[in-house]
Amino acid sequence: TKKVTTNPTILYKNNEEKINIKEKLEFDVLYSDSDYIYVYFMNDIYGIKDNYEIVESKNEKLDSISFISLGSDLSNENLKQYLDYLNTNNYNTITIDEFNNWKNSYIDFPLNTILLIDEGSHTDLLNECNYKYELLSDLSKYNITNDIYKIKKTDKNYYKYVINNDTTMDDFINAINGIKDSKNQEIAVLNYHFFYEEKGICNESICLDMDIFRDELKYLNDNNYKTLTIDEFVDWYYGKISLPDNSVLLTIDDGAYGTSKINGNFLIPALEEYDLHATLFLITSWWDIENYRSNNLDIQSHGNDIHFESSCGYQIKCLKYDELLSDFKKSLDIVKSNTSFCFPFYVYTNNAISALEELDFKVAFVGGNKKASRSNNKYKIPRYVILDGISMNEFIGMIS
């Protein structure tokens, strides 16, 4: 493969100067045209046209291969562009049998090697252009799931990235290079409630034994997870920053038993012991915010006094827009932040969302038991609800 060294140079995006590189750096060359050579830097692709040196890398062996699946809605016109790119940049295509032989170290391939998977719509064009491919229907036994991931010899799980008519050339280049596009990144948001150390104090399913919670924090600490501040999560959601894949947002609802310095005092000391971060959504009329102050805990709004069941099922459903707006304002006067909101009981209404928009809340959280992504509605961001008795394997499955 080719590498480029720079000293100094400018990185371009859409023919505009974006980043001034003042020191000597080395990049892998993704591709080139008459104007630029293109490299991957800080989760994006940039062009370089001045002050660089191309270096041919030697003695490098292929250590991973991308599976690229051609979606049924991909037009032959768009596919032809991708195939031209593969041809221009000397990509090698292989069959599943060749892939398996490579995994067993019987054969080796050039660095730019991929496996093409067709859903059945493009065989004529692939045959015409002399590209090797596999039919998706013939790969059912391999349990290949959707994701961007370069498959290593030691991997037991296989992933394919689906190319369709909405895929850009940059997305395609990321896929064949195994680069997970940051806009498709997903982050686990975990939702806790109450914590206890003595059995019988809290019998609800959302109460968590502190031994379990400490084990979870220890796992996050030992495995170098980044526990996000609420500002970091919101900046990521709006595309302002990139985050490592091992990022997680810990959230706690209500402020009840075990969460403050005067009602059990379990949460804050545990966070401070491991120097990890979490966000508390406080019911502001029920408890004094001063009892939750910690550098390791952000405090956000869970409403002022609407967290109870009523004739409508839940109070948030009973209240009109003006009543919800008034409650949210009272909460904001206390927490002093409209960065995020958490719906009581995960219940939301059109009036509640309109009130959040009026007060310029950046995001709001619900339940859902799945990872959060930038494609989520900003006022319906899902979280995993943590229940008592959760196993470590279940916990790891949520965050990994």
Side-chain angles (χ1 to χ4, degrees):
T1 187
K2 292 182 179 179
K3 295 183 180 292
V4 59
T5 57
T6 64
N7 187 25
T9 194
I10 295 172
L11 301 186
Y12 292 81
K13 185 76 173 178
N14 297 324
N15 295 320
E16 296 181 2
E17 296 183 8
K18 292 296 183 181
I19 301 176
N20 190 349
I21 301 294
K22 297 182 179 180
E23 56 188 84
K24 186 171 183 176
L25 295 179
E26 183 178 85
F27 304 93
D28 290 327
V29 176
L30 297 179
Y31 61 104
S32 61
D33 58 27
S34 59
D35 297 317
Y36 300 99
I37 60 167
Y38 294 90
V39 301
Y40 192 76
F41 182 63
M42 294 180 63
N43 295 310
D44 210 343
I45 295 175
Y46 294 94
I48 301 174
K49 66 178 180 179
D50 300 304
N51 300 324
Y52 65 83
E53 179 183 359
I54 295 290
V55 179
E56 295 284 349
S57 301
K58 298 180 179 179
N59 300 321
E60 287 192 68
K61 290 187 176 181
L62 179 72
D63 64 356
S64 55
I65 292 175
S66 291
F67 282 23
I68 305 300
S69 183
L70 308 177
S72 57
D73 69 334
L74 175 63
S75 69
N76 276 348
E77 180 182 359
N78 286 343
L79 174 57
K80 187 64 167 61
Q81 296 179 33
Y82 302 136
L83 296 180
D84 288 343
Y85 174 86
L86 296 179
N87 182 61
T88 301
N89 291 275
N90 299 314
Y91 271 80
N92 179 52
T93 56
I94 59 174
T95 66
I96 190 68
D97 288 338
E98 290 174 322
F99 170 80
N100 287 329
N101 283 331
W102 169 79
K103 277 183 66 72
N104 291 322
S105 298
Y106 298 148
I107 58 177
D108 209 348
F109 296 113
L111 292 175
N112 289 350
T113 293
I114 62 173
L115 190 148
L116 288 177
I117 301 171
D118 185 41
E119 296 186 6
S121 305
H122 311 97
T123 55
D124 289 343
L125 180 57
L126 291 168
N127 289 332
E128 178 186 334
C129 297
N130 294 317
Y131 282 97
K132 295 179 181 179
Y133 63 92
E134 293 288 342
L135 288 175
L136 183 62
S137 58
D138 294 337
L139 299 179
S140 57
K141 66 178 181 180
Y142 290 97
N143 190 29
I144 303 173
T145 56
N146 293 351
D147 201 357
I148 296 182
Y149 194 86
K150 295 199 80 171
I151 303 166
K152 300 178 181 179
K153 289 185 177 182
T154 56
D155 288 341
K156 296 181 179 179
N157 298 319
Y158 294 172
Y159 304 87
K160 61 180 172 67
Y161 183 71
V162 181
I163 304 296
N164 53 45
N165 269 344
D166 295 328
T167 303
T168 66
M169 182 57 77
D170 282 355
D171 290 338
F172 177 73
I173 294 166
N174 281 340
I176 62 178
N177 287 285
I179 299 170
K180 187 182 291 290
D181 192 334
S182 60
K183 72 174 181 289
N184 295 322
Q185 185 181 23
E186 295 182 324
I187 289 179
V189 183
L190 307 184
N191 172 215
Y192 299 88
H193 286 81
F194 320 134
F195 302 93
Y196 69 89
E197 285 191 336
E198 297 180 28
K199 303 289 186 183
I201 290 180
C202 184
N203 295 317
E204 294 186 56
S205 62
I206 53 176
C207 300
L208 189 68
D209 189 318
M210 276 302 297
D211 287 341
I212 296 176
F213 186 57
R214 290 191 185 96
D215 285 345
E216 292 173 351
L217 295 183
K218 184 177 186 301
Y219 181 88
L220 295 175
N221 181 72
D222 292 349
N223 290 276
N224 298 312
Y225 271 80
K226 179 177 178 60
T227 52
L228 303 174
T229 67
I230 191 62
D231 287 333
E232 287 173 330
F233 178 86
V234 172
D235 283 347
W236 166 81
Y237 174 83
Y238 281 95
K240 296 179 181 179
I241 63 172
S242 298
L243 291 173
D245 283 340
N246 60 335
S247 296
V248 61
L249 178 65
L250 308 180
T251 68
I252 301 94
D253 288 4
D254 304 342
Y257 191 77
T259 60
S260 87
K261 296 175 182 176
I262 62 169
N263 67 6
N265 200 28
F266 302 136
L267 170 66
I268 294 173
L271 292 173
E272 291 177 346
E273 176 185 353
Y274 290 101
D275 195 22
L276 300 179
H277 212 92
T279 295
L280 171 72
F281 292 104
L282 181 66
I283 305 172
T284 50
S285 69
W286 293 13
W287 293 286
D288 184 352
I289 192 173
E290 296 306 318
N291 293 315
Y292 301 84
R293 300 292 188 190
S294 169
N295 290 333
N296 296 76
L297 190 65
D298 294 323
I299 304 175
Q300 299 287 292
S301 175
H302 200 23
N304 185 59
D305 191 23
I306 57 172
H307 199 290
F308 52 88
E309 298 182 30
S310 66
S311 59
C312 304
Y314 299 101
Q315 180 68 357
I316 196 170
K317 288 186 173 182
C318 300
L319 299 181
K320 299 177 181 178
Y321 170 80
D322 289 343
E323 295 171 315
L324 289 166
L325 187 66
S326 175
D327 182 273
F328 296 168
K329 284 182 176 178
K330 290 177 182 177
S331 179
L332 282 182
D333 286 342
I334 296 172
V335 301
K336 309 296 184 185
S337 171
N338 63 350
T339 300
S340 63
F341 182 86
C342 169
F343 290 107
F345 304 107
Y346 317 120
V347 175
Y348 53 86
T349 64
N350 290 336
N351 281 336
I353 289 176
S354 295
L356 294 182
E357 291 176 333
E358 173 70 20
L359 296 172
D360 196 28
F361 275 90
K362 304 301 184 292
V363 298
F365 293 89
V366 291
N369 290 313
K370 61 181 180 180
K371 285 187 174 182
S373 74
R374 286 172 171 148
S375 63
N376 295 137
N377 182 301
K378 67 179 179 181
Y379 293 137
K380 301 176 185 178
I381 295 177
R383 298 180 293 171
Y384 287 105
V385 181
I386 305 298
L387 301 177
D388 198 21
I390 180 176
S391 70
M392 183 56 68
N393 284 339
E394 290 172 324
F395 176 77
I396 294 170
M398 293 175 182
I399 65 174
S400 62

